[in-house]
Amino acid sequence: QSVLTQPPSASGTPGQRVTISCSGSSSNIGRNTVNWYQKLPGTAPKLLIDSNDQRPSGVPDRFSGSKSGTSASLAISGLQSDDEADYYCAAWDGSLNGYVFGTGTKVTVL
Amino acid sequence: QLHLQESGPRLVKPSETLSLTCSVSGGSISTSTYYWGWIRQAPGKGLEWIGSIYYSGSTHYSPSLKSRVTMSVDTSKNQISLTLNSVTAADTAVYYCARGFAGSGMDVWGQGTTVTVSS
């Protein structure tokens, strides 16, 4: 059971904005930066957001990340069919002394 | 361009040892600012961090796997290795190796290799 909790699913129509939450604690999100990964079936995960809100080179600015206290969020604006994927938050957990992934959120484009 | 490639047996018997290698090309693993991680995804499940290692040999392992996991680096071959002892069917998964910048997420990933634990 992950220490980072995400909603199992989220959905939207093309062009809409979708937000995914990631709830943690003081030992992980509360004191460390959050990363977000996109996972498409059959492909390796892709780093989408680094260090809470930084987009790696090549990631569209439709993706944005934020963090407040012990929670973080990923927003996808201008939703596209290609955005259908599983999204995972992740952070270092000082109590576990390890990196933890969130439970994952499946995004569906209606 | 950095490229990571996982390799190893696709089928492992229960109670035996799973051994995988991550071959790195297009760059050196002997860089203190990077770490190398192993991550897996069991069928129908989410991503699970197995552990990380720096080229110096410093390691961090998942608490749930710590008793069975060993990671090492071979700078002469530019490879990272993973061994997981006493495997069970629950260790059946796609195993990925990845690179991360110290204090940041993992930005370069291998394509993954599927390992099945079965007799």
Side-chain angles (χ1 to χ4, degrees):
Chain A
Q1 193 73 7
S2 176
V3 297
L4 301 182
T5 303
Q6 300 177 234
S9 63
S11 63
T13 57
Q16 277 190 329
R17 175 184 171 93
V18 169
T19 301
I20 302 168
S21 62
C22 176
S23 178
S25 68
S26 59
S27 65
N28 41 66
I29 295 177
R31 70 175 64 173
N32 296 303
T33 59
V34 178
N35 310 124
W36 288 90
Y37 297 88
Q38 180 189 57
K39 177 71 172 68
L40 293 162
T43 68
K46 173 186 177 181
L47 181 63
L48 209 58
I49 297 291
D50 191 24
S51 301
N52 302 330
D53 57 8
Q54 302 299 304
R55 280 187 308 276
S57 175
V59 174
D61 58 7
R62 301 186 297 104
F63 295 91
S64 62
S66 63
K67 178 182 123 172
S68 178
T70 58
S71 294
S73 294
L74 172 71
I76 310 172
S77 60
L79 195 64
Q80 300 179 0
S81 57
D82 288 350
D83 298 333
E84 277 208 345
D86 294 324
Y87 293 84
Y88 294 88
C89 60
W92 187 264
D93 189 294
S95 294
L96 297 174
N97 199 28
Y99 192 72
V100 290
F101 285 98
T103 50
T105 299
K106 183 176 183 62
V107 169
T108 301
V109 180
L110 302 171
Chain B
Q1 184 177 351
L2 194 72
H3 181 72
L4 281 60
Q5 180 70 56
E6 303 89 347
S7 61
R10 300 297 183 95
L11 181 65
V12 182
K13 290 182 169 54
S15 80
E16 294 191 346
T17 296
L18 180 160
S19 296
L20 296 175
T21 298
C22 177
S23 298
V24 179
S25 57
S28 173
I29 66 171
S30 303
T31 307
S32 61
T33 52
Y34 290 112
Y35 65 89
W36 306 89
W38 285 97
I39 302 91
R40 69 181 183 180
Q41 184 174 35
K45 303 292 187 181
L47 298 175
E48 179 183 17
W49 177 78
I50 300 171
S52 299
I53 186 168
Y54 284 83
Y55 94 97
S56 63
S58 172
T59 55
H60 292 281
Y61 298 139
S62 166
S64 64
L65 298 171
K66 189 173 185 177
S67 63
R68 299 193 291 129
V69 171
T70 303
M71 294 181 185
S72 62
V73 295
D74 187 333
T75 55
S76 65
K77 295 181 179 179
N78 224 34
Q79 292 178 336
I80 301 99
S81 67
L82 167 72
T83 61
L84 182 64
N85 301 322
S86 305
V87 298
T88 69
D91 296 308
T92 293
V94 178
Y95 286 76
Y96 298 96
C97 62
R99 182 201 76 173
F101 187 80
S104 297
M106 290 169 276
D107 63 337
V108 182
W109 292 67
Q111 66 184 23
T113 186
T114 300
V115 178
T116 301
V117 178
S118 174
S119 55

